[in-house]
Amino acid sequence: MTNLVPIQNLIKSLQDFDARNEVLEIVEDNKQEIVKRQREQLEYGIDVFGKPRIDEYRPLTVYIKKTQGIGLGAVTDRVTFFMTGRLYQSLFAEIIGENYETKSPLFTYDKMIDRVGRENFGLDYDSRLDFAKSITLPNFKQRLKEKTGLIS
């Protein structure tokens, strides 16, 4: 008679493994990576569709950025929403169920959202895919291995 205990343990561990909750925990644990990717998109003026935003600074803002801006704060050929860096540093990801949103408590965030439109703000497809490939899948594989012993 063969020993069924290892198979029964595997079946039990697979039944107990909640893939949805594992993914949600992985996203929650790595939400700083969502913020990092959102900052990069803002820096390059990319919208949620992966397209360059078509907007420009007002003449006074261009003057201020050219005379007082440093680094990204001096860029005027596209809107970066960066001058002092406070907006970028204040961004955080809020995870609600299966959804996330990048937010900030600053008034300048609300102004930015009004300007670009909430429907145009967020991670584009490439950023979401990169997050899945480089963060979610490797972590999921590791958790599956730890909890079931299936993946070597």
Side-chain angles (χ1 to χ4, degrees):
M1 179 171 178
T2 60
N3 187 351
L4 294 178
V5 174
I7 293 172
Q8 290 170 334
N9 289 343
L10 176 60
I11 290 170
K12 173 80 170 110
S13 67
L14 285 170
Q15 288 172 333
D16 292 345
F17 188 79
D18 186 336
R20 179 184 178 277
N21 283 339
E22 295 295 335
V23 169
L24 293 176
E25 284 180 20
I26 290 166
V27 172
E28 178 69 36
D29 292 347
N30 292 280
K31 62 186 178 182
Q32 74 281 359
E33 289 295 325
I34 293 171
V35 174
K36 176 183 167 193
R37 286 163 171 76
Q38 187 64 69
R39 285 180 184 138
E40 289 170 356
Q41 273 187 229
L42 284 172
E43 180 179 337
Y44 292 104
I46 303 297
D47 68 16
V48 72
F49 306 106
K51 305 286 185 205
R53 284 193 330 273
I54 302 171
D55 50 14
E56 55 188 40
Y57 287 116
R58 293 189 172 133
L60 177 59
T61 305
V62 170
Y63 172 78
I64 292 170
K65 288 175 83 55
K66 284 185 176 180
T67 59
Q68 299 174 22
I70 298 170
L72 187 56
V75 172
T76 60
D77 65 338
R78 65 186 182 283
V79 176
T80 63
F81 300 108
F82 189 101
M83 184 61 172
T84 65
R86 285 184 56 224
L87 175 63
Y88 279 47
Q89 295 306 313
S90 72
L91 293 175
F92 64 93
E94 182 176 80
I95 313 296
I96 304 167
E98 295 179 7
N99 299 308
Y100 70 88
E101 186 174 356
T102 305
K103 295 181 168 186
S104 166
L106 298 181
F107 174 70
T108 49
Y109 171 81
D110 295 329
K111 286 176 57 176
M112 176 188 69
I113 294 299
D114 287 344
R115 183 171 184 165
V116 302
R118 185 160 305 279
E119 69 280 2
N120 296 318
F121 183 72
L123 292 182
D124 67 0
Y125 175 80
D126 289 339
S127 294
R128 293 190 311 271
L129 183 61
D130 181 60
F131 184 87
K133 286 181 176 180
S134 64
I135 304 291
T136 309
L137 291 176
N139 281 284
F140 186 84
K141 180 180 176 182
Q142 182 62 35
R143 287 174 182 227
L144 184 63
K145 178 182 178 183
E146 289 171 1
K147 294 184 178 183
T148 67
L150 272 179
I151 300 172
S152 58

